Amino acid sequence: MCSATCSAPPETSSGTNFLIETRDLWHVYDGGVNALQGANLQIQPGGFVAIVGSNGSGKTTLIKHFNGLLKPTSGSVLVNGMDTCRTRTSQLARVIGFVFQNPDHQIFASTVLEETIFGLKQMGVVSEEAQERTTRALQAVGLYEMRNRHPRQLSLGQRQRLATASVLALETQVLVLDEPTTGQDFVARRQIMSLAMDLNRQGRTILVVTHDMTLVAEYATRVIVMKAGQVLLDATPKEVFSRDDILRQTGLKVPPVVELGRGLGAIDRAATPLTLNELYEVIVSKLPPGKASSKSLRHKPLGTRGQ
């Protein structure tokens, strides 16, 4: 058992290159609710992982174990080889950057600038470097010009980006985003996810909890599907969207691009398009010879994956 007293013997790394590892992880809330029931998974450095499932499947409970906000009832969680049951949350926060679904749960400073720089001060980052990292983070989310405003003067979507900036400034190895596109318009959604993709290309590990299957199709390279506190499937997006049995069990719906691709005759599920670019290729493949060079198809549509 691992509770507030952490009575279980310390867990050690298996020696495999896992950044995050859960072993038979159980979490029981007060009242006897089994939120996690033997969850096992491994996250290697550099991944872009989506965690999906219906409400109550255990997604948010799972990720709150990664930075020590929750401790296992039984089983264990290792982060960079550290047993989270015996590691301070402040120490885990140097590895795991966590952006809550509700930004108001983590915003408390009186200006946007103060909010973004607070974590760096707590970590003891010297003033000049802290200022530079804060500026970069605010510019990345489009809030630098609002740096002197009170956070309560921002919209919900802007506060979500502020919460993201305060975590970006910490430059952690892992960035965990819980429903990052909540309250965002199309442009802001693209901005946040493009930023996450850029960070991933730089070597950061990105974990996204989401109900947005279009986001999963466009950005994730791996999908962890949860149900009733367990990992039901761990696979690529194409594999997940090809599993009608899994989709039925979890109530997940395929993105419109995937649905359209199937309707156009992408019968081989392994070839199912996930992005607009891939859908374009399916459409072109169905045209009679010579039609693909028509003026209407000279320019490929915008997409994300592979760009």
Side-chain angles (χ1 to χ4, degrees), residues 103-105 107-110 149-155 159 162:
D104 296 334
H105 288 169
I107 293 175
F108 58 88
S110 58
R149 290 192 188 181
H150 195 288
R152 298 303 173 189
Q153 295 178 305
L154 305 181
S155 68
R159 294 199 303 277
L162 172 57

Side-chain angles (χ1 to χ4, degrees), residues 24-91:
D24 193 27
L25 176 61
W26 286 72
H27 189 87
V28 182
Y29 286 111
D30 292 342
V33 177
N34 292 317
L36 294 175
Q37 304 185 63
N40 290 285
L41 61 85
Q42 298 84 33
I43 304 293
Q44 292 178 307
F48 198 121
V49 183
I51 302 175
V52 304
S54 60
N55 289 334
S57 61
K59 305 184 300 295
T60 298
T61 299
L62 174 68
I63 61 175
K64 284 184 176 179
H65 282 77
F66 297 163
N67 65 351
L69 290 177
L70 292 177
K71 300 296 186 181
T73 301
S74 66
S76 61
V77 180
L78 298 178
V79 173
N80 242 6
M82 298 180 291
D83 185 345
T84 63
C85 201
R86 290 169 172 77
T87 305
R88 294 189 304 274
T89 300
S90 59
Q91 189 173 353

Side-chain angles (χ1 to χ4, degrees), residues 137-190:
L138 288 173
Q139 288 174 337
V141 300
L143 290 179
Y144 183 72
E145 298 304 322
M146 301 181 182
R147 62 191 180 279
N148 294 319
R149 290 192 188 181
H150 195 288
R152 298 303 173 189
Q153 295 178 305
L154 305 181
S155 68
L156 173 62
Q158 288 169 334
R159 294 199 303 277
Q160 183 75 34
R161 282 185 275 153
L162 172 57
T164 302
S166 66
V167 173
L168 287 178
L170 301 177
E171 298 183 356
T172 55
Q173 290 176 260
V174 182
L175 179 62
V176 180
L177 302 170
D178 191 0
E179 298 289 355
T181 57
T182 298
Q184 307 293 339
D185 60 22
F186 178 80
V187 173
R189 174 187 182 278
R190 286 289 180 186

Side-chain angles (χ1 to χ4, degrees), residues 1 6-11 83 86:
M1 292 287 287
C6 286
S7 58
E11 288 283 352
D83 185 345
R86 290 169 172 77

Side-chain angles (χ1 to χ4, degrees), residues 48-55 59 101 177-193 208-224 237 240-241 247 250-258 274 304-305:
F48 198 121
V49 183
I51 302 175
V52 304
S54 60
N55 289 334
K59 305 184 300 295
Q101 179 178 357
L177 302 170
D178 191 0
E179 298 289 355
T181 57
T182 298
Q184 307 293 339
D185 60 22
F186 178 80
V187 173
R189 174 187 182 278
R190 286 289 180 186
Q191 182 182 34
I192 289 174
M193 295 313 301
V208 180
V209 171
T210 185
H211 287 89
D212 186 341
M213 294 301 105
T214 297
L215 181 156
V216 172
E218 291 181 343
Y219 296 95
T221 56
R222 175 183 172 192
V223 185
I224 295 170
V240 170
F241 294 136
L247 298 175
T250 56
L252 299 176
K253 296 185 181 298
V254 298
V257 167
V258 174
L274 297 178
T304 303
R305 191 182 302 276

